[in-house]
Amino acid sequence: MINGVLFVCHANLCRSPMAEYAARRLLAGRPVTVASAGTDAVEGLAMHPYAVEIAAETGEDPAAFRSRRLLPDHLTDAVLVLTATRRQRSICTALAPAALHRTFTLRQFGRLAAAVEPPVEDQDDPLQSAVTAAALARGRLQPAPGDADDLRDPVGGTPEDFRRCAAEIERSLRPLAALIGTAG
């Protein structure tokens, strides 16, 4: 289905859709597809209105976005799975154990991607190269303390809470975009 990056949050209304739209913008021109789903999503709901405002700033129209419930096939078809929280990462790896080595929290992957050496030669699949490099770094770097890898859910918050969340998503995605850029 996707064969790219899958973003996962709870309801697929705020964090994962904002990450999906931000990734499309940051990875434009790269051979990477992006999608999102929610561990507890209700199928077919529109994105949260504050998330719509932020997603629209990417230049795409998020009006057609509809939430999707996470399925095991979504996980097995993705090259990289990025979750909003450690709990969601655990749910993903329980649903599809084979996805363990390519499933990270978004903040964790951003930290790992920023710490790895870029591949020294062009790769056929820059996304796969980035995932492999980050997976190797996971064993060398100290784990983050407590909930430092969790992306706070802005639902129920103010537009500024959504902006802070979107800024954290962007900070976490920039190292991925840079790593893919050097690998391809």
Side-chain angles (χ1 to χ4, degrees):
M1 176 208 70
I2 162 177
N3 197 21
V5 182
L6 175 68
F7 295 98
V8 178
C9 71
H10 180 77
N12 194 216
L13 299 175
C14 302
R15 294 170 291 180
S16 59
M18 288 192 301
E20 177 183 343
Y21 280 76
R24 279 194 192 132
R25 180 178 49 76
L26 288 169
L27 300 173
R30 305 274 185 225
V32 178
T33 58
V34 296
S36 64
T39 57
D40 295 275
V42 174
E43 288 277 336
L45 298 179
M47 198 183 307
H48 188 286
Y50 296 154
V52 166
E53 290 177 25
I54 292 167
E57 293 170 6
T58 66
E60 289 192 48
D61 181 5
F65 177 89
R66 293 296 176 259
S67 59
R68 292 189 318 159
R69 185 169 184 85
L70 180 67
L71 299 174
D73 286 350
H74 298 150
L75 299 164
T76 57
D77 291 346
V79 174
L80 174 61
V81 178
L82 297 175
T83 67
T85 67
R86 292 171 295 148
R87 180 180 178 281
Q88 288 144 5
R89 182 182 62 205
S90 294
I91 291 169
C92 289
T93 58
L95 276 173
L100 173 68
H101 297 294
R102 52 193 164 78
T103 302
F104 305 80
T105 70
L106 176 61
R107 293 179 77 185
Q108 173 192 31
F109 193 86
R111 197 174 57 255
L112 294 171
V116 301
E117 293 292 322
V120 292
E121 57 190 50
D122 281 354
Q123 303 292 320
D124 289 337
D125 186 344
L127 177 59
Q128 183 60 57
S129 296
V131 172
T132 300
L136 291 171
R138 183 168 20 196
R140 293 192 314 262
L141 296 176
Q142 287 292 329
D147 63 355
D149 282 338
D150 291 349
L151 183 61
R152 188 172 173 197
D153 194 347
V155 75
T158 67
E160 187 52 40
D161 293 329
F162 277 77
R163 292 242 171 255
R164 278 192 290 276
C165 182
E168 185 57 39
I169 289 168
E170 178 108 7
R171 273 192 296 279
S172 297
L173 285 174
R174 285 195 179 284
L176 169 62
L179 192 57
I180 289 173
T182 60

